Amino acid sequence: STLSSSSAASDVYKRQLYSIVDGFFIAQYVDSMALSAANIVYPAVSILLAVGIMFGTGGSAVVAAKIGQGKQEEANRNFSALTLTTLIIGILGAVLGNLFCRQICSLLGATPVLMDYGTAYLRTILSFAPVCLLQALFQSFFVTAGRPGLGLSLTVSAGITNMLLDYLFVVPLHLGVSGAALATGLGQCIPAVAGILYFTFARKGLRFTRPEFSKGLLSTSCFNGSSEMVSNLSAAVVTYLFNMLMLKFEGEIGVAAITAILYGQFLFVALYLGYSIGVAPVFSFNYGSRNKQRLIRLYRISIRFVVVSSVIIALAAAFGSPVISAVFMQKGTYGFELTRHGGYLFSIAYLFCGTNIVASGIFTALSDGKTSALISFLRTFVFIVLSALLLPLVLGTNGVWLSIPVAEFLTLFISVPKLSRYFKDPKVATETQTSPN
């Protein structure tokens, strides 16, 4: 479960990092309208990635189970069938996406000002749909094949390639938003092509062979990976909602402003995302060994870390708001002032989000997937949507900026009692045998 969640998270973070790199070069060397357009079409890209993550996380669980049962050849045939299915979906996505690109952009809210930028970016991104899906699929199956290090190195290589090509295509070659999208697509080719080569020529273990669709293979894979897919779909819906609200209150420049703030959010919360993934195996180990004392000690260390770092990050985000604004907006413009003001209000979220993120990760490590999913779904979708729909009615643009801080604050009323109850409940103490240190 932890490996599956970590792999899915890796794909999401990687895609978001690609977007930030693209956004930096687009904002600096094209203009703010191009940045708005790139974010307007992001939900379509997120939905595409969700399919690859679903088959990767869900399918890897099915294949790994077959390997554990000693059915290596059947596992190979099922893996090959999943890869073929993913490739076909990617090709369909590329073809249909390019045929109906303008309609998709219009559906996502692109205004006439943003349409040309949006279609140029989306057409190029969707042309790489097959490799986008395959690299997401292989990210999970490298873990199943016992080669997580190879998957990591390919991910790093793809990211570095994306950054270098972003500079090359956007700055000296002046390819604009199409160049940024092209850099992303070519970066994704590295893990996709490397995965094809690895699994084609592997002599033992997981490898390509004649595809075989075992009974229930696709349905079981989809069901297993549905939670990871829903997380990506939620992100697409939330992004779409924020884009529509900012278009309503501030126009196209408002979309660019919220894009810059959300980019900053990703960079600031990366600390907690990384900590959650890193500490999860330690919680899992001590949970499995029924070591109550060490679990409580680790919990207290984690809470102290989150509380102290939350204050530091919130202050850094507030005082650093002008710096973040300057990265994506030209100083002295309305867009710069709008982003800076939004950054001040948004920084409140960092006081609360660390606790919620780490709480969700802890419950995943403790094999309490329901509580983990509840916390994650409330903070990333339910409370955000409710806040975004209600607060702007009273506060206008300020209500949009405060939607995520309010959502994080509301989630505390779920995550904190859940944590306290688990680590203080006498039943837990009696059910767990404390091992010697």
Side-chain angles (χ1 to χ4, degrees), residues 59-111:
S60 62
V62 175
V63 172
K66 295 287 178 65
I67 296 175
Q69 296 167 6
K71 302 176 181 178
Q72 183 66 57
E73 286 305 312
E74 184 178 351
N76 290 340
R77 291 194 293 269
N78 286 173
F79 166 56
S80 302
L82 289 169
T83 302
L84 178 61
T85 302
T86 304
L87 179 60
I88 292 173
I89 293 174
I91 293 173
L92 288 175
V95 174
L96 296 177
N98 274 274
L99 286 176
F100 300 101
C101 187
R102 294 189 71 85
Q103 291 87 336
I104 294 173
C105 290
S106 179
L107 183 64
L108 293 175
T111 63

Short mmCIF file of all heavy atoms in Angstrom, two decimals, residues 59-111:
data_model
loop_
_atom_site.label_atom_id
_atom_site.label_comp_id
_atom_site.label_asym_id
_atom_site.label_seq_id
_atom_site.Cartn_x
_atom_site.Cartn_y
_atom_site.Cartn_z
N GLY A 59 -2.94 -1.96 -11.43
CA GLY A 59 -2.44 -3.11 -12.15
C GLY A 59 -1.23 -3.73 -11.50
O GLY A 59 -1.07 -4.97 -11.51
N SER A 60 -0.36 -2.91 -10.91
CA SER A 60 0.83 -3.45 -10.26
C SER A 60 0.46 -4.33 -9.07
O SER A 60 1.14 -5.31 -8.77
CB SER A 60 1.77 -2.32 -9.82
OG SER A 60 1.13 -1.49 -8.86
N ALA A 61 -0.65 -3.98 -8.39
CA ALA A 61 -1.10 -4.81 -7.27
C ALA A 61 -1.53 -6.19 -7.76
O ALA A 61 -1.22 -7.22 -7.13
CB ALA A 61 -2.25 -4.12 -6.54
N VAL A 62 -2.23 -6.22 -8.90
CA VAL A 62 -2.68 -7.50 -9.46
C VAL A 62 -1.48 -8.34 -9.90
O VAL A 62 -1.38 -9.54 -9.59
CB VAL A 62 -3.62 -7.26 -10.66
CG1 VAL A 62 -4.00 -8.59 -11.32
CG2 VAL A 62 -4.87 -6.53 -10.21
N VAL A 63 -0.56 -7.71 -10.61
CA VAL A 63 0.61 -8.42 -11.13
C VAL A 63 1.51 -8.89 -9.99
O VAL A 63 2.03 -10.02 -10.02
CB VAL A 63 1.39 -7.52 -12.11
CG1 VAL A 63 2.72 -8.15 -12.50
CG2 VAL A 63 0.55 -7.24 -13.36
N ALA A 64 1.70 -8.04 -8.98
CA ALA A 64 2.55 -8.42 -7.85
C ALA A 64 1.96 -9.62 -7.11
O ALA A 64 2.69 -10.50 -6.64
CB ALA A 64 2.71 -7.24 -6.90
N ALA A 65 0.63 -9.67 -7.02
CA ALA A 65 -0.02 -10.81 -6.36
C ALA A 65 0.24 -12.10 -7.13
O ALA A 65 0.49 -13.16 -6.53
CB ALA A 65 -1.52 -10.55 -6.24
N LYS A 66 0.20 -12.01 -8.46
CA LYS A 66 0.47 -13.20 -9.28
C LYS A 66 1.92 -13.67 -9.09
O LYS A 66 2.19 -14.87 -9.00
CB LYS A 66 0.22 -12.87 -10.76
CG LYS A 66 -1.23 -12.56 -11.10
CD LYS A 66 -2.08 -13.80 -11.09
CE LYS A 66 -3.55 -13.47 -11.38
NZ LYS A 66 -3.76 -12.95 -12.74
N ILE A 67 2.83 -12.71 -9.01
CA ILE A 67 4.23 -13.07 -8.78
C ILE A 67 4.38 -13.74 -7.42
O ILE A 67 5.10 -14.74 -7.27
CB ILE A 67 5.13 -11.82 -8.88
CG1 ILE A 67 5.10 -11.25 -10.30
CG2 ILE A 67 6.57 -12.15 -8.47
CD1 ILE A 67 5.86 -9.95 -10.46
N GLY A 68 3.69 -13.20 -6.42
CA GLY A 68 3.75 -13.78 -5.08
C GLY A 68 3.19 -15.19 -5.03
O GLY A 68 3.59 -15.99 -4.18
N GLN A 69 2.26 -15.51 -5.93
CA GLN A 69 1.69 -16.85 -6.00
C GLN A 69 2.54 -17.81 -6.82
O GLN A 69 2.16 -18.96 -7.00
CB GLN A 69 0.28 -16.76 -6.59
CG GLN A 69 -0.71 -15.98 -5.74
CD GLN A 69 -1.99 -15.64 -6.49
OE1 GLN A 69 -2.19 -16.08 -7.63
NE2 GLN A 69 -2.84 -14.83 -5.87
N GLY A 70 3.67 -17.29 -7.32
CA GLY A 70 4.53 -18.13 -8.14
C GLY A 70 4.09 -18.23 -9.59
O GLY A 70 4.59 -19.07 -10.33
N LYS A 71 3.17 -17.37 -10.01
CA LYS A 71 2.66 -17.40 -11.39
C LYS A 71 3.34 -16.31 -12.22
O LYS A 71 2.71 -15.37 -12.69
CB LYS A 71 1.15 -17.21 -11.40
CG LYS A 71 0.39 -18.24 -10.58
CD LYS A 71 -1.10 -17.94 -10.55
CE LYS A 71 -1.88 -18.95 -9.72
NZ LYS A 71 -3.33 -18.64 -9.64
N GLN A 72 4.66 -16.44 -12.38
CA GLN A 72 5.44 -15.42 -13.05
C GLN A 72 5.02 -15.20 -14.50
O GLN A 72 4.87 -14.06 -14.95
CB GLN A 72 6.93 -15.78 -13.00
CG GLN A 72 7.84 -14.72 -13.62
CD GLN A 72 7.84 -13.42 -12.84
OE1 GLN A 72 8.14 -13.39 -11.64
NE2 GLN A 72 7.51 -12.33 -13.50
N GLU A 73 4.80 -16.27 -15.24
CA GLU A 73 4.44 -16.13 -16.66
C GLU A 73 3.07 -15.47 -16.82
O GLU A 73 2.86 -14.65 -17.72
CB GLU A 73 4.48 -17.49 -17.35
CG GLU A 73 5.88 -18.00 -17.61
CD GLU A 73 6.72 -17.00 -18.38
OE1 GLU A 73 6.24 -16.48 -19.41
OE2 GLU A 73 7.86 -16.73 -17.94
N GLU A 74 2.14 -15.87 -15.97
CA GLU A 74 0.82 -15.23 -16.02
C GLU A 74 0.92 -13.75 -15.67
O GLU A 74 0.24 -12.90 -16.27
CB GLU A 74 -0.15 -15.93 -15.07
CG GLU A 74 -1.57 -15.39 -15.15
CD GLU A 74 -2.53 -16.13 -14.24
OE1 GLU A 74 -2.14 -17.17 -13.67
OE2 GLU A 74 -3.68 -15.65 -14.10
N ALA A 75 1.77 -13.44 -14.71
CA ALA A 75 1.99 -12.05 -14.33
C ALA A 75 2.56 -11.26 -15.50
O ALA A 75 2.14 -10.12 -15.77
CB ALA A 75 2.95 -11.98 -13.13
N ASN A 76 3.52 -11.87 -16.22
CA ASN A 76 4.11 -11.20 -17.39
C ASN A 76 3.06 -10.94 -18.48
O ASN A 76 3.03 -9.88 -19.10
CB ASN A 76 5.25 -12.05 -17.96
CG ASN A 76 6.45 -12.09 -17.05
OD1 ASN A 76 6.63 -11.24 -16.19
ND2 ASN A 76 7.29 -13.11 -17.21
N ARG A 77 2.18 -11.92 -18.69
CA ARG A 77 1.16 -11.75 -19.73
C ARG A 77 0.14 -10.67 -19.33
O ARG A 77 -0.29 -9.87 -20.16
CB ARG A 77 0.46 -13.08 -19.98
CG ARG A 77 1.35 -14.13 -20.65
CD ARG A 77 0.52 -15.30 -21.18
NE ARG A 77 -0.07 -16.08 -20.08
CZ ARG A 77 0.51 -17.11 -19.51
NH1 ARG A 77 1.72 -17.50 -19.91
NH2 ARG A 77 -0.10 -17.78 -18.55
N ASN A 78 -0.20 -10.65 -18.05
CA ASN A 78 -1.12 -9.61 -17.58
C ASN A 78 -0.49 -8.22 -17.66
O ASN A 78 -1.14 -7.25 -18.05
CB ASN A 78 -1.53 -9.89 -16.13
CG ASN A 78 -2.51 -11.03 -16.00
OD1 ASN A 78 -2.86 -11.46 -14.91
ND2 ASN A 78 -2.99 -11.57 -17.12
N PHE A 79 0.78 -8.14 -17.28
CA PHE A 79 1.50 -6.87 -17.38
C PHE A 79 1.56 -6.39 -18.82
O PHE A 79 1.34 -5.21 -19.12
CB PHE A 79 2.91 -7.05 -16.81
CG PHE A 79 3.87 -5.94 -17.16
CD1 PHE A 79 3.57 -4.62 -16.85
CD2 PHE A 79 5.07 -6.22 -17.81
CE1 PHE A 79 4.45 -3.60 -17.17
CE2 PHE A 79 5.95 -5.21 -18.14
CZ PHE A 79 5.64 -3.90 -17.82
N SER A 80 1.82 -7.29 -19.74
CA SER A 80 1.86 -6.93 -21.16
C SER A 80 0.50 -6.44 -21.64
O SER A 80 0.40 -5.49 -22.43
CB SER A 80 2.31 -8.13 -21.98
OG SER A 80 3.59 -8.58 -21.56
N ALA A 81 -0.57 -7.10 -21.16
CA ALA A 81 -1.93 -6.69 -21.54
C ALA A 81 -2.25 -5.30 -21.01
O ALA A 81 -2.86 -4.48 -21.71
CB ALA A 81 -2.93 -7.71 -21.02
N LEU A 82 -1.84 -5.02 -19.78
CA LEU A 82 -2.07 -3.69 -19.21
C LEU A 82 -1.30 -2.61 -19.96
O LEU A 82 -1.80 -1.51 -20.19
CB LEU A 82 -1.68 -3.70 -17.73
CG LEU A 82 -2.60 -4.48 -16.79
CD1 LEU A 82 -1.95 -4.63 -15.42
CD2 LEU A 82 -3.95 -3.77 -16.66
N THR A 83 -0.07 -2.94 -20.35
CA THR A 83 0.73 -1.99 -21.11
C THR A 83 0.10 -1.70 -22.46
O THR A 83 0.02 -0.55 -22.91
CB THR A 83 2.16 -2.53 -21.31
OG1 THR A 83 2.76 -2.79 -20.04
CG2 THR A 83 3.02 -1.52 -22.06
N LEU A 84 -0.37 -2.75 -23.13
CA LEU A 84 -1.03 -2.59 -24.43
C LEU A 84 -2.29 -1.73 -24.29
O LEU A 84 -2.54 -0.83 -25.11
CB LEU A 84 -1.37 -3.95 -25.01
CG LEU A 84 -2.10 -3.95 -26.36
CD1 LEU A 84 -1.25 -3.28 -27.44
CD2 LEU A 84 -2.46 -5.38 -26.76
N THR A 85 -3.08 -1.99 -23.26
CA THR A 85 -4.30 -1.22 -23.03
C THR A 85 -3.98 0.26 -22.81
O THR A 85 -4.62 1.15 -23.36
CB THR A 85 -5.06 -1.77 -21.81
OG1 THR A 85 -5.38 -3.14 -22.03
CG2 THR A 85 -6.34 -0.98 -21.57
N THR A 86 -2.97 0.51 -21.98
CA THR A 86 -2.56 1.88 -21.69
C THR A 86 -2.08 2.59 -22.94
O THR A 86 -2.41 3.76 -23.18
CB THR A 86 -1.44 1.88 -20.63
OG1 THR A 86 -1.90 1.20 -19.46
CG2 THR A 86 -1.04 3.30 -20.27
N LEU A 87 -1.33 1.87 -23.77
CA LEU A 87 -0.82 2.46 -25.01
C LEU A 87 -1.97 2.82 -25.95
O LEU A 87 -1.98 3.91 -26.55
CB LEU A 87 0.13 1.49 -25.69
CG LEU A 87 0.75 1.94 -27.02
CD1 LEU A 87 1.56 3.21 -26.83
CD2 LEU A 87 1.61 0.83 -27.62
N ILE A 88 -2.95 1.94 -26.07
CA ILE A 88 -4.10 2.21 -26.95
C ILE A 88 -4.88 3.42 -26.46
O ILE A 88 -5.27 4.30 -27.26
CB ILE A 88 -5.01 0.97 -27.02
CG1 ILE A 88 -4.29 -0.17 -27.76
CG2 ILE A 88 -6.32 1.31 -27.72
CD1 ILE A 88 -5.04 -1.48 -27.74
N ILE A 89 -5.09 3.52 -25.15
CA ILE A 89 -5.79 4.67 -24.60
C ILE A 89 -5.01 5.96 -24.87
O ILE A 89 -5.58 7.01 -25.19
CB ILE A 89 -6.03 4.49 -23.09
CG1 ILE A 89 -7.00 3.33 -22.85
CG2 ILE A 89 -6.56 5.77 -22.45
CD1 ILE A 89 -7.18 2.98 -21.38
N GLY A 90 -3.68 5.88 -24.74
CA GLY A 90 -2.85 7.04 -25.01
C GLY A 90 -2.95 7.49 -26.46
O GLY A 90 -3.02 8.70 -26.74
N ILE A 91 -2.94 6.55 -27.38
CA ILE A 91 -3.06 6.89 -28.81
C ILE A 91 -4.42 7.53 -29.09
O ILE A 91 -4.52 8.54 -29.81
CB ILE A 91 -2.86 5.64 -29.67
CG1 ILE A 91 -1.41 5.15 -29.54
CG2 ILE A 91 -3.19 5.93 -31.13
CD1 ILE A 91 -1.14 3.81 -30.22
N LEU A 92 -5.48 6.96 -28.51
CA LEU A 92 -6.81 7.54 -28.67
C LEU A 92 -6.87 8.95 -28.10
O LEU A 92 -7.47 9.85 -28.69
CB LEU A 92 -7.85 6.65 -28.00
CG LEU A 92 -8.17 5.31 -28.67
CD1 LEU A 92 -9.13 4.49 -27.80
CD2 LEU A 92 -8.77 5.55 -30.06
N GLY A 93 -6.23 9.14 -26.94
CA GLY A 93 -6.20 10.46 -26.32
C GLY A 93 -5.49 11.48 -27.20
O GLY A 93 -5.93 12.63 -27.32
N ALA A 94 -4.39 11.05 -27.82
CA ALA A 94 -3.64 11.95 -28.69
C ALA A 94 -4.45 12.34 -29.92
O ALA A 94 -4.51 13.51 -30.31
CB ALA A 94 -2.32 11.30 -29.10
N VAL A 95 -5.08 11.36 -30.55
CA VAL A 95 -5.85 11.60 -31.77
C VAL A 95 -7.08 12.46 -31.49
O VAL A 95 -7.31 13.50 -32.11
CB VAL A 95 -6.26 10.27 -32.44
CG1 VAL A 95 -7.18 10.53 -33.62
CG2 VAL A 95 -5.01 9.51 -32.90
N LEU A 96 -7.90 12.01 -30.53
CA LEU A 96 -9.13 12.73 -30.23
C LEU A 96 -8.84 14.11 -29.61
O LEU A 96 -9.55 15.08 -29.90
CB LEU A 96 -10.00 11.91 -29.26
CG LEU A 96 -10.51 10.58 -29.81
CD1 LEU A 96 -11.29 9.82 -28.73
CD2 LEU A 96 -11.39 10.81 -31.03
N GLY A 97 -7.81 14.18 -28.80
CA GLY A 97 -7.44 15.46 -28.20
C GLY A 97 -7.06 16.50 -29.23
O GLY A 97 -7.42 17.68 -29.11
N ASN A 98 -6.31 16.09 -30.23
CA ASN A 98 -5.92 17.03 -31.28
C ASN A 98 -7.10 17.39 -32.19
O ASN A 98 -7.22 18.53 -32.64
CB ASN A 98 -4.78 16.44 -32.10
CG ASN A 98 -3.42 16.73 -31.49
OD1 ASN A 98 -2.83 17.77 -31.72
ND2 ASN A 98 -2.94 15.80 -30.67
N LEU A 99 -7.97 16.42 -32.45
CA LEU A 99 -9.13 16.70 -33.30
C LEU A 99 -10.09 17.69 -32.64
O LEU A 99 -10.68 18.55 -33.31
CB LEU A 99 -9.87 15.40 -33.62
CG LEU A 99 -9.21 14.46 -34.63
CD1 LEU A 99 -10.02 13.17 -34.76
CD2 LEU A 99 -9.08 15.13 -36.00
N PHE A 100 -10.26 17.57 -31.34
CA PHE A 100 -11.23 18.41 -30.63
C PHE A 100 -10.55 19.36 -29.64
O PHE A 100 -11.12 19.72 -28.62
CB PHE A 100 -12.21 17.51 -29.88
CG PHE A 100 -13.00 16.59 -30.77
CD1 PHE A 100 -12.64 15.26 -30.88
CD2 PHE A 100 -14.07 17.07 -31.52
CE1 PHE A 100 -13.35 14.40 -31.70
CE2 PHE A 100 -14.78 16.22 -32.34
CZ PHE A 100 -14.42 14.88 -32.45
N CYS A 101 -9.36 19.79 -29.98
CA CYS A 101 -8.57 20.61 -29.06
C CYS A 101 -9.26 21.93 -28.73
O CYS A 101 -9.36 22.32 -27.56
CB CYS A 101 -7.19 20.88 -29.66
SG CYS A 101 -6.05 21.70 -28.52
N ARG A 102 -9.75 22.63 -29.72
CA ARG A 102 -10.40 23.92 -29.46
C ARG A 102 -11.67 23.74 -28.62
O ARG A 102 -11.96 24.56 -27.74
CB ARG A 102 -10.71 24.64 -30.77
CG ARG A 102 -9.48 25.07 -31.56
CD ARG A 102 -9.86 25.96 -32.73
NE ARG A 102 -10.31 27.27 -32.30
CZ ARG A 102 -9.50 28.30 -32.03
NH1 ARG A 102 -8.18 28.15 -32.14
NH2 ARG A 102 -10.00 29.46 -31.68
N GLN A 103 -12.39 22.68 -28.88
CA GLN A 103 -13.60 22.43 -28.10
C GLN A 103 -13.26 22.13 -26.64
O GLN A 103 -13.96 22.57 -25.72
CB GLN A 103 -14.39 21.25 -28.70
CG GLN A 103 -15.02 21.55 -30.05
CD GLN A 103 -14.10 21.29 -31.22
OE1 GLN A 103 -12.86 21.32 -31.08
NE2 GLN A 103 -14.67 21.03 -32.38
N ILE A 104 -12.16 21.38 -26.43
CA ILE A 104 -11.74 21.08 -25.06
C ILE A 104 -11.32 22.36 -24.34
O ILE A 104 -11.71 22.59 -23.19
CB ILE A 104 -10.56 20.08 -25.07
CG1 ILE A 104 -11.03 18.72 -25.62
CG2 ILE A 104 -9.99 19.90 -23.67
CD1 ILE A 104 -9.91 17.71 -25.81
N CYS A 105 -10.56 23.20 -25.03
CA CYS A 105 -10.13 24.46 -24.42
C CYS A 105 -11.32 25.34 -24.07
O CYS A 105 -11.37 25.97 -23.01
CB CYS A 105 -9.19 25.20 -25.37
SG CYS A 105 -7.57 24.44 -25.56
N SER A 106 -12.29 25.39 -24.97
CA SER A 106 -13.49 26.18 -24.72
C SER A 106 -14.26 25.64 -23.53
O SER A 106 -14.75 26.39 -22.67
CB SER A 106 -14.38 26.19 -25.97
OG SER A 106 -15.57 26.92 -25.75
N LEU A 107 -14.36 24.32 -23.43
CA LEU A 107 -15.06 23.67 -22.33
C LEU A 107 -14.37 23.98 -21.00
O LEU A 107 -15.03 24.11 -19.96
CB LEU A 107 -15.11 22.16 -22.56
CG LEU A 107 -15.87 21.31 -21.54
CD1 LEU A 107 -17.35 21.67 -21.56
CD2 LEU A 107 -15.68 19.83 -21.83
N LEU A 108 -13.05 24.09 -21.02
CA LEU A 108 -12.28 24.37 -19.81
C LEU A 108 -12.27 25.85 -19.45
O LEU A 108 -11.66 26.23 -18.44
CB LEU A 108 -10.85 23.86 -19.97
CG LEU A 108 -10.69 22.33 -20.06
CD1 LEU A 108 -9.26 21.95 -20.35
CD2 LEU A 108 -11.17 21.66 -18.78
N GLY A 109 -12.90 26.68 -20.27
CA GLY A 109 -13.05 28.09 -19.92
C GLY A 109 -12.13 29.05 -20.64
O GLY A 109 -12.06 30.22 -20.26
N ALA A 110 -11.41 28.60 -21.67
CA ALA A 110 -10.49 29.48 -22.38
C ALA A 110 -11.27 30.61 -23.06
O ALA A 110 -12.21 30.36 -23.82
CB ALA A 110 -9.68 28.70 -23.40
N THR A 111 -10.88 31.84 -22.80
CA THR A 111 -11.49 33.00 -23.45
C THR A 111 -10.81 33.22 -24.80
O THR A 111 -9.78 32.61 -25.10
CB THR A 111 -11.31 34.24 -22.57
OG1 THR A 111 -9.90 34.51 -22.44
CG2 THR A 111 -11.90 34.01 -21.18
#
